[in-house]
């Protein structure tokens, strides 16, 4: 349903103040039982102070949830997923009005990774790597496409990478 709405460009954001630490905590809590079923540990790290963003809480939470789900689902047994909420420095400009906080949500895992030539295609509708198709044949390859579209509607971006060390 979400993918169809995005394709039809019917996305209407219901923006409000979203406390990002609470959002990350909810997402991690929701995925903890799934992680346990896959023998994967999952943790979160958030700043001590509240970090607010103007966003559609439902859509933003779905976007983060999709990435966390992939990190858990495609990890290895006894793997680990870490969800980090990082506050980034602002370039405050005098007289530019209120400055929105800059942040990054990083989802790190120690799963098998994705071949570098496939990274750019992961957010394409329906694209699934060979390992993903064989390990989870029930998937549809929509989660990261939905995430990318939701983030773009918020003026945010999705970046995917596979570190050289795993």
């Amino acid at each position: 349903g979400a993918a169809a709405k995005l394709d039809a460009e019917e996305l209407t954001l219901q923006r409000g103040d979203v406390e990002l630490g609470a959002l990350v905590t909810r997402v991690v809590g929701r995925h903890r039982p799934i992680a346990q079923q896959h023998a994967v540990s999952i943790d979160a790290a958030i700043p001590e102070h509240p970090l607010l963003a103007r966003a559609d809480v439902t859509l933003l939470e779905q976007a983060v949830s999709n990435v966390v789900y992939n990190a858990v689902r495609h990890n290895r047994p006894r793997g680990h997923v870490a969800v980090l909420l990082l506050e980034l420095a602002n370039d405050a400009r005098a007289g530019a009005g209120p400055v929105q906080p800059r942040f990054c949500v990083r989802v790190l895992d120690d799963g098998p990774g994705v071949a570098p030539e496939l990274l750019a295609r992961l957010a394409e509708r329906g694209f699934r790597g060979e390992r993903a198709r064989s390990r989870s044949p029930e998937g549809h390859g929509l989660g990261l496409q939905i995430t990318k579209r939701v983030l773009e509607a918020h003026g945010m971006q999705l970046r995917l990478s596979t570190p050289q060390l795993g």
Side-chain angles (χ1 to χ4, degrees):
K5 274 187 165 184
L6 289 169
D7 286 345
E9 308 260 346
E10 295 176 24
L11 185 63
T12 304
L13 299 179
Q14 303 296 318
R15 290 185 190 260
D17 286 335
V18 177
E19 206 289 286
L20 297 168
L23 183 145
V24 166
T25 300
R26 283 191 305 273
V27 168
V28 168
R30 185 177 312 116
H31 287 85
R32 193 161 270 122
I34 299 165
Q36 288 174 342
Q37 290 173 359
H38 291 277
V40 171
S41 63
I42 184 169
D43 294 298
I46 59 175
E48 290 182 14
H49 61 279
L51 185 56
L52 298 175
R54 292 285 299 166
D56 183 311
V57 66
T58 303
L59 291 174
L60 189 57
E61 193 161 324
Q62 181 64 54
V64 174
S65 185
N66 289 347
V67 177
V68 172
Y69 178 77
N70 281 354
V72 168
R73 184 84 172 124
H74 299 291
N75 208 321
R76 60 182 172 73
R78 292 177 303 285
H80 182 256
V81 173
V83 184
L84 312 174
L85 173 59
L86 306 168
E87 185 171 13
L88 305 176
N90 275 317
D91 16 311
R93 295 181 197 133
V99 177
Q100 289 293 315
R102 293 185 63 235
F103 66 93
C104 174
V105 176
R106 293 193 70 193
V107 179
L108 307 168
D109 68 75
D110 53 4
V114 176
E117 65 274 10
L118 299 180
L119 278 176
R121 297 198 58 207
L122 285 181
E124 291 176 12
R125 183 183 181 116
F127 180 78
R128 300 180 72 220
E130 185 58 42
R131 274 191 256 172
R133 282 194 301 275
S134 61
R135 288 181 66 182
S136 306
E138 70 280 359
H140 299 288
L142 296 174
L144 291 178
Q145 189 235 5
I146 291 169
T147 295
K148 181 179 179 186
R149 298 281 304 274
V150 165
L151 294 178
E152 287 172 347
H154 282 88
M156 300 172 187
Q157 61 182 319
L158 172 67
R159 288 189 296 188
L160 304 167
S161 65
T162 299
Q164 288 183 341
L165 299 176

